[in-house]
Amino acid sequence: MKKVINVPEQVVEEMLQGMVLAHSQYVKRVDGFEVLVRANKPGAGKVALVSGGGSGHEPSHAGFVGRGMLDGAVAGAVFTSPTPDQVYEAVKAVDNGKGVLLIIKNYSGDVMNFEMAIEMANADGITVDKVIVNDDVAVENSTWTIGRRGIAGTVLVHKIAGAKAEAGAELEEVKRIADKVIHNVRSMGMALDSCTVPAAGKPSFVLEENEIEIGMGIHGEPGTHREVLRTADEITDHLVDKILADMPLAVGQEVAVLINGLGATPLMELYIVNRKVAALLKEKGLHIAKTYVGNYMTSLEMAGFSISILKLDSELKELLLAPADTPALVQF
Amino acid sequence: MSGDLYEVISAVGETIIGNRQMLTDLDAAIGDGDHGINMARGFEAVKAKLQTLETESDIGKVLKTVGMTLISSVGGAAGPLYGTAFLRAAAPSQGKTELDVETIGLMLEAAIAGIKERGKATTGEKTMLDALVPAYEAFQDGAKTGKSVIECLELACEAAKQGVEFTKTIIATKGRASYLGERSRGHQDPGATSSYIMLKALLEHLRR
């Protein structure tokens, strides 16, 4: 294992310290917890949004704490859901009396820990609701799953629900919008190479030279199948096909696109993928209203990427294009 | 806390810590490769917490502390599941300083009910329940025929061991391994394995 770390046990702690130092105008630490919240808590009357999950997905999730997106983010151990007490602290720190919405990615551990936090917060009289993101179409066809996984599409949920909350909407409205995004976003990824969890010290899986894994999740967990490396255009074609097979779109439909790097993929390659995605969508008569290309939901140093497509209507489009000012996403 | 109770929990914890790599390797094959790491971190935290409970003799209170500590230190799916299991097992042992066959049966029953509820899971889905439920049933069979605690636990351990073997033959339908579908067959479940080795550690300690 070759990593720029000090000791595996301290990676999350030291990362959080570094993040706060780098982005002190945006975020501050909840003392004693692996929780970052906005440096300036919004005034009363705003529903608060909290997301989180295992660490190793940076800039998710703390990178999206700021105006127009999240109010707080909880960082678990690498690829491990944060514990209920941590989520509970985040909820307490951001609550403004108007309720808190938890944005959870659909993994059994995350759902259980966040639900236990909701029980703890409810016992305190704090109104907390949740949405569960499940955008990954790779596992959709299996009757043995507990449902789809949540991957990069989660960032679009942060963005749009965040804009809605910033506009002063009530908790149930913010939840409705978040669920609408979840209902209309699909993603699928692939990996060229594995990643190494610091505490494990060795790669989570091994791919042969020239071999890729299709349907990769974001925790180094194996995908649906392996195949021989093909061109960027061919891989992109396959992923877009799978996404659109799951969510057929009519000619003239407006969409947003997120080309997400998993950590070790050069931006050059992400742009090459985006070029093909744009061409494919144009061929199908779809209009791209907004494109994001970059590392939004990574998987440590995994090489690979995911494509997310969000079906827009006027409401979602307006909220997507609304301003955001966070460490990892700034738009005006 | 009585020296014996302290030693039993320590023995279980040391077994988990000692099998950190094995559990992690099992998880790497069909999950996200962190089960051993997370469980070891949890039982390190339990070990530290036990030092503060030296004067506590109530088994229920100690188990409750173990459960809360696991919940706040393990994370993942194992944290809420094992944490809930210990919390639930604490109820029948509340106020007790010694355990008999009947109480242990109730504790196992409560722990399993907690895991089922929290994980929305049942047997046959390639989870810890595939070790724990047969273990509980075997334990109760022993209890019905008037066997001792150790004899009942021997039966339970054997059943848990077979349960772990059984998980090799089925596909996962809960947890991250479920995404693998058929590819999960042939691998033994890390959660069932950790449950088995905890029971085994308990038995081995009591035999001494």
Side-chain angles (χ1 to χ4, degrees):
Chain A
M1 176 173 66
K2 243 163 56 169
K3 283 182 187 290
V4 187
I5 61 172
N6 294 308
V7 285
E9 294 73 24
Q10 289 298 317
V11 289
V12 174
E13 173 60 34
E14 293 179 4
M15 169 188 74
L16 291 175
Q17 290 178 15
M19 281 186 94
V20 170
L21 289 165
H23 306 299
S24 57
Q25 77 273 35
Y26 291 110
V27 294
K28 64 180 180 192
R29 185 84 177 259
V30 174
D31 285 338
F33 294 90
E34 279 80 61
V35 174
L36 299 190
V37 296
R38 291 194 197 182
N40 301 303
K41 187 172 174 175
K46 185 191 159 307
V47 168
L49 264 56
V50 170
S51 189
S55 291
H57 304 306
E58 293 67 35
S60 287
H61 299 82
F64 301 113
V65 172
R67 196 167 54 82
M69 292 185 80
L70 302 175
D71 294 86
V74 196
V78 176
F79 291 172
T80 300
S81 165
T83 56
D85 52 318
Q86 299 278 338
V87 180
Y88 171 59
E89 285 301 322
V91 166
K92 281 198 296 189
V94 301
D95 179 45
N96 255 332
K98 209 172 174 183
V100 181
L101 184 70
L102 302 184
I103 299 170
I104 311 168
K105 296 192 300 303
N106 192 28
Y107 298 94
S108 33
D110 291 59
V111 173
M112 281 187 260
N113 283 288
F114 278 75
E115 281 181 347
M116 289 176 86
I118 293 176
E119 288 168 23
M120 291 161 83
N122 285 342
D124 271 0
I126 304 176
T127 309
V128 187
D129 211 334
K130 65 170 195 276
V131 293
I132 298 175
V133 187
N134 57 349
D135 54 319
D136 187 351
V137 301
V139 297
E140 201 269 339
N141 60 355
S142 171
T143 51
W144 304 306
T145 63
I146 49 156
R148 297 171 165 178
R149 300 177 291 214
I151 55 173
T154 308
V155 177
L156 299 172
V157 181
H158 296 164
K159 174 67 196 72
I160 291 174
K164 189 72 183 175
E166 209 70 48
E170 297 298 320
L171 178 59
E172 70 180 42
E173 263 297 282
V174 178
K175 178 182 158 76
R176 179 186 68 79
I177 282 289
D179 275 327
K180 188 172 176 183
V181 179
I182 292 166
H183 188 69
N184 287 290
V185 66
R186 302 286 187 281
S187 306
M188 185 151 165
M190 62 80 67
L192 297 161
D193 215 342
S194 184
C195 58
T196 298
V197 173
K202 55 185 184 183
S204 303
F205 57 96
V206 178
L207 286 169
E208 299 302 323
E209 184 71 29
N210 238 27
E211 192 182 31
I212 62 174
E213 180 123 7
I214 299 292
M216 174 64 57
I218 51 167
H219 300 95
E221 73 268 46
T224 52
H225 72 280
R226 291 178 179 187
E227 58 183 44
V228 173
L229 176 63
R230 294 181 282 159
T231 63
D233 283 1
E234 286 169 326
I235 296 166
T236 303
D237 205 7
H238 176 69
L239 297 182
V240 169
D241 257 4
K242 295 285 280 187
I243 290 170
L244 293 182
D246 193 84
M247 182 176 64
L249 298 174
V251 171
Q253 174 67 50
E254 272 200 308
V255 296
V257 169
L258 166 60
I259 311 298
N260 174 59
L262 292 178
T265 310
L267 266 176
M268 173 191 274
E269 295 172 25
L270 297 181
Y271 281 120
I272 291 171
V273 169
N274 185 54
R275 166 190 157 277
K276 181 64 177 176
V277 170
L280 287 168
L281 298 188
K282 191 178 175 194
E283 250 173 51
K284 294 174 194 302
L286 304 170
H287 299 300
I288 301 173
K290 177 77 183 165
T291 300
Y292 297 95
V293 177
N295 292 325
Y296 289 88
M297 178 74 74
T298 59
S299 186
L300 293 171
E301 75 278 38
M302 198 188 292
F305 67 94
S306 64
I307 298 169
S308 302
I309 297 176
L310 169 65
K311 182 181 172 186
L312 293 172
D313 62 8
S314 58
E315 184 181 38
L316 293 183
K317 183 181 171 183
E318 189 189 333
L319 293 166
L320 181 68
L321 299 180
D325 193 16
T326 72
L329 197 158
V330 176
Q331 75 184 42
F332 295 102
Chain B
M1 185 165 55
S2 79
D4 197 42
L5 178 58
Y6 178 85
E7 281 170 23
V8 168
I9 295 171
S10 297
V12 170
E14 288 305 330
T15 299
I16 290 292
I17 293 165
N19 282 287
R20 181 178 186 271
Q21 193 59 47
M22 185 270 282
L23 293 171
T24 296
D25 289 345
L26 287 174
D27 196 27
I30 54 170
D32 54 356
D34 63 6
H35 188 54
I37 297 166
N38 294 341
M39 290 295 287
R41 183 177 58 241
F43 276 99
E44 291 285 0
V46 167
K47 200 156 79 174
K49 194 82 187 173
L50 286 185
Q51 315 289 346
T52 67
L53 285 178
E54 272 175 40
T55 55
E56 185 58 66
S57 60
D58 181 338
I59 293 174
K61 281 192 182 152
V62 172
L63 291 180
K64 193 174 166 201
T65 305
V66 171
M68 289 305 291
T69 306
L70 291 177
I71 286 171
S72 63
S73 63
V74 176
L81 292 170
Y82 277 122
T84 301
F86 277 95
L87 283 186
R88 295 293 178 90
S93 54
Q94 198 74 37
K96 300 207 185 251
T97 54
E98 270 180 44
L99 297 177
D100 53 19
V101 170
E102 191 195 345
T103 310
I104 296 176
L106 290 172
M107 289 165 70
L108 283 171
E109 186 183 5
I112 288 167
I115 291 169
K116 283 182 171 172
E117 202 178 297
R118 181 63 62 199
K120 301 176 183 77
T122 181
T123 48
E125 296 178 322
K126 201 171 180 112
T127 71
M128 53 181 76
L129 289 173
D130 291 315
L132 289 174
V133 172
Y136 166 69
E137 286 166 357
F139 187 94
Q140 291 298 71
D141 285 346
K144 272 181 220 143
T145 52
K147 292 198 159 57
S148 69
V149 167
I150 288 185
E151 287 166 336
C152 289
L153 278 174
E154 280 169 348
L155 293 171
C157 268
E158 185 51 37
K161 189 178 173 189
Q162 285 170 18
V164 170
E165 288 302 312
F166 170 67
T167 63
K168 290 182 189 170
T169 68
I170 55 175
I171 59 165
T173 55
K174 277 286 184 303
R176 280 190 193 151
S178 65
Y179 301 131
L180 290 173
E182 273 299 330
R183 281 163 81 184
S184 67
R185 205 189 295 276
H187 294 280
Q188 85 188 51
D189 182 63
T193 308
S194 57
S195 290
Y196 163 60
I197 63 174
M198 284 162 78
L199 279 174
K200 190 159 155 252
L202 173 63
L203 171 64
E204 280 170 4
H205 181 81
L206 295 180
R207 269 179 179 157
R208 257 181 248 141

